[in-house]
Amino acid sequence: MSISLSVHGAAHTVTGSCYLLQAGRTRFLVDCGMFQGPKTLKALNYADFPFKPEEIDFVLLTHAHIDHSGLIPKLVKNGFSGPIYATHGTIDLLTCMLPDSGHIQETEVEQLNRRNAQRGRPEVTPIYTVEDAEVALRSFSPVAYDTWIEPAEGVRARFWNAGHILGSASIEVELTTGLQSPRSMRLLFSGDIGPEVTSFHPAPDSPQNLDYIVCESTYGSRVRPPMTLSSRRDLLAAEANEALKGNGVLIVPSFAVERTQELLSDLLALVHERRIPQVPIFLDSPLAIRATDVFIDHAHELEDGAAFRHAMRSPILRTTESAQESMMIERIDGSHIIVAASGMCDAGRIRHHLKNHLWRANATVLMVGFQAEGTLGRILQNGAKAVRIQGEEVKVRARIRTLDIYSGHADGPGLARWVEDRGPVSRGIILVHGEEDEIAGLHERLSNLGLDGERIFAPELDAVFDLLAETPATRERPAPRRLQPEVVGHPDWHNDLSGLWLDLTEMLDKAADDKSRRVILRRIRRALEKEQA
C-alpha cells in the first residue's frame, strides 16, 4: 500500500489551500480553496484541477474562508459526488459565502465579457454560478469538534478548534497503512491557526505525537508585540480619532467573516465608552451582513457572545444591502466610517469606495488583515502614488495605515509554540500557506527549537510526498507544473504592466511641454520596435 500527499495549493502563497491524500485506493482532499492575488495565480481557478474530481471520495474542510473553500462548487460541478465534512459553524457561514462567491464570479465575468466584446475577444464563462454553489451546499455533512469520524475504510478524522474563525478547525487524520510497521499513520493539517488575542475564541487545541504536521506559515517570520483586548482597542482608538479629524473619513477594507465582526465589536465599544466620536458606521458588504447574522446565531459559542449580540443592535451601525444604498454613502457629509469587503481590496464594494476616496487628503484607509502579493491592498501598503481601479488611474493622497492586530493568524513565535506543543513529530513538518520569507522565517524558528531542519519541508506548488518513504522527499510529478515556482507568490507581469502605465502617465504629466512628451513616447516606441525586431 502507498500513501502520498500532493500539495495542490498554498505552496509559497497564502491562498488556494488544497491537499490531496491517497491511501491505497482511497483519495480525498483537505480543503479546496480559491487562488487570490496576481492574475497569473488567479487564472488557476479557471483551469482544470490537477486531479480528476470524480475520483475523489470525500473532502475534509478546515474552515469557511474562500481561499480554503472557494473551489468546492467547481469540484462538485466537475464530477465530485462524495460528502464534504465540516463543522456546523463552517457550514452555516458557507450558506452565505459560497453563493456570494458565485455571484462575484458571475458579475466579474459579465463585466469582462463586455470588455472582451469591445476588444473582439471570445467570451469566458464563470468558474461557477450561484446555482452551482447552492447545489454544492447539499453535499456538506456536519461534524462536531473532538469526535472521530470514519469517512472511508482505513481512514479516521477528528476536528480540533483552531481559534481562527467561527467553526475553524485543525484536522487530525489517521490512516491504516496495511503494513506491520507502521500499522497506522497520523497527520495533522493545521488549517489557519488563530492569534493569541481574539474577542471570540479560546486558544487553539490539537493532539500530540504525530507523524506529520502540515502547518500554515502566513506570519511565520513576523513577531507581534504583546497584546491584550484592551491594548488592541487603544490602538484602534488612536487610528480612528486621527482619521476622523476635520470631517475625515475612515475606510476599512475588511474580510467579511470574523475580522469584520471583531472590528465592529471594538468600534462600537469605543463609541459606547466615548473614546471615539459617535459617527455613522456603515457595514457595506452583503456578505459581511449575512455573516454577522450567523455570528449572532452562534453567539452562545463565542467568548462574551452576549456583549457582541448587544453591540450589533447599536443605532449608529448602518447596514447597506443594495448597491443603491452603497452608493448613497457618498452623499454623507461629515465624518463617518466605512467597513467594506474585500479585505485585500481586490473585489467587492471596497474598490468603489477606494476609487471615490483615495484621492482625498482627508481620507484614511486602514488595513487590518493580511495583504497578499499582487493585490491592490499590498500595492497601497507598499506606498503607491497612484493605482488603477476599474481601468482608471486614481492618485493616492489618502493616508494608508496598517493595524496588524486584527489578523486571524498567529505570528511566528505563536506558530512555533503551536508546532512544538504538538510534538513529538516523528517524520516531518510541511510548511505551507505562506510567502517565501514567511516560510523561511518559520523554518528557522522551528530549527532553533531543536527540531530536525532536514525534516522540515517547504514544497512547491503540485509537489508530491511519499509519506511512507524513510526520507519523505518530494517525488516526480505526474504532470507538468501548472506554474513555475518563480511565479508563485510574487507580483506578475500584469502588476508590472500596471506599474509601468502609471509611471509613464506620471512622467508625461511632469514633462515640461508637449515636445518633451513626444520625445518620451518616441523613445518608448523605439524600444518596442527594437524588441520586436
Side-chain angles (χ1 to χ4, degrees), residues 358 376 379-380 384-389 392-394 396 502:
L358 278 175
L376 178 57
I379 291 167
L380 289 170
K385 302 299 182 185
V387 294
R388 291 179 66 81
I389 300 177
E392 296 183 25
E393 178 184 344
V394 182
V396 180
L502 292 169

Side-chain angles (χ1 to χ4, degrees), residues 525-533:
R525 187 168 295 281
R526 281 200 297 269
L528 291 173
E529 290 171 348
K530 183 178 179 181
E531 185 67 25
Q532 292 171 347

Side-chain angles (χ1 to χ4, degrees), residues 70-290:
L71 288 186
I72 284 176
K74 177 181 175 179
L75 186 74
V76 174
K77 180 181 178 180
N78 287 15
F80 169 75
S81 59
I84 304 165
Y85 297 97
T87 65
H88 290 267
T90 292
I91 295 172
D92 286 350
L93 286 172
L94 287 177
T95 58
C96 52
M97 293 178 69
L98 288 182
D100 180 80
S101 179
H103 174 69
I104 290 173
Q105 314 311 319
E106 293 182 70
T107 302
E108 289 186 346
V109 164
E110 182 182 352
Q111 295 170 348
L112 176 61
N113 282 336
R114 282 201 296 267
R115 295 196 297 270
N116 284 346
Q118 294 169 350
R119 299 168 182 172
R121 296 177 180 175
E123 286 193 348
V124 297
T125 57
I127 301 169
Y128 55 85
T129 65
V130 173
E131 183 180 357
D132 294 328
E134 290 171 346
V135 169
L137 288 168
R138 302 171 194 163
S139 299
F140 279 86
S141 295
V143 297
Y145 287 124
D146 306 330
T147 302
W148 284 107
I149 62 170
E150 189 170 342
E153 185 178 354
V155 181
R156 295 203 305 164
R158 183 163 50 168
F159 287 59
W160 297 80
N161 171 44
H164 174 60
I165 67 169
L166 177 67
S168 65
S170 299
I171 301 179
E172 177 186 5
V173 176
E174 186 177 279
L175 304 172
T176 300
T177 67
L179 304 174
Q180 288 292 329
S181 179
R183 290 183 178 274
S184 64
M185 177 169 289
R186 297 178 69 218
L187 301 91
L188 180 65
F189 292 83
S190 71
D192 288 348
I193 299 300
E196 292 185 356
V197 178
T198 173
S199 305
F200 296 150
H201 306 294
D205 191 18
S206 285
Q208 296 175 304
N209 192 21
L210 301 152
D211 293 296
Y212 290 97
I213 294 178
V214 180
C215 183
E216 67 119 327
S217 315
T218 308
Y219 284 141
S221 68
R222 190 166 307 191
V223 180
R224 296 194 188 97
M227 187 70 59
T228 64
L229 181 58
S230 176
S231 59
R232 185 176 83 177
R233 289 178 175 174
D234 290 343
L235 291 172
L236 179 61
E239 291 290 346
N241 284 320
E242 185 64 29
L244 296 174
K245 288 179 179 177
N247 288 332
V249 177
L250 174 60
I251 302 166
V252 187
S254 185
F255 297 93
V257 176
E258 193 86 13
R259 304 292 78 74
T260 288
Q261 289 74 37
E262 283 202 307
L263 177 70
L264 290 176
S265 181
D266 282 359
L267 284 171
L268 292 166
L270 292 172
V271 170
H272 179 72
E273 296 164 7
R274 299 185 179 181
R275 297 178 58 194
I276 65 173
Q278 184 170 321
V279 301
I281 300 174
F282 293 94
L283 177 54
D284 188 27
S285 164
L287 174 58
I289 293 167
R290 292 193 292 272

Side-chain angles (χ1 to χ4, degrees), residues 359-406:
W359 56 274
R360 303 175 190 265
N362 72 334
T364 298
V365 179
L366 180 62
M367 306 294 183
V368 294
F370 184 82
Q371 307 297 316
E373 277 286 4
T375 61
L376 178 57
R378 177 68 75 91
I379 291 167
L380 289 170
Q381 269 189 334
N382 289 343
K385 302 299 182 185
V387 294
R388 291 179 66 81
I389 300 177
Q390 297 169 343
E392 296 183 25
E393 178 184 344
V394 182
K395 296 293 185 183
V396 180
R397 297 187 181 93
R399 297 168 66 246
I400 308 299
R401 302 286 295 167
T402 297
L403 267 186
D404 185 28
I405 56 175
Y406 287 95

Side-chain angles (χ1 to χ4, degrees), residues 283-304:
L283 177 54
D284 188 27
S285 164
L287 174 58
I289 293 167
R290 292 193 292 272
T292 300
D293 289 338
V294 174
F295 273 74
I296 291 172
D297 290 342
H298 285 261
H300 61 284
E301 300 174 26
L302 306 178
E303 303 279 298
D304 206 8

Side-chain angles (χ1 to χ4, degrees), residues 21-87:
L21 270 163
Q22 181 162 354
R25 295 183 179 180
T26 302
R27 294 163 62 89
F28 62 96
L29 298 181
V30 176
D31 290 349
C32 189
M34 184 172 285
F35 289 98
Q36 299 163 316
K39 289 185 179 180
T40 301
L41 189 61
K42 289 195 291 187
L44 295 180
N45 297 324
Y46 289 87
D48 292 337
F49 287 108
F51 49 80
K52 294 180 179 180
E54 66 272 16
E55 295 181 355
I56 303 300
D57 296 297
F58 59 91
V59 176
L60 305 175
L61 181 61
T62 60
H63 64 285
H65 275 152
I66 292 299
D67 62 318
H68 291 255
S69 68
L71 288 186
I72 284 176
K74 177 181 175 179
L75 186 74
V76 174
K77 180 181 178 180
N78 287 15
F80 169 75
S81 59
I84 304 165
Y85 297 97
T87 65

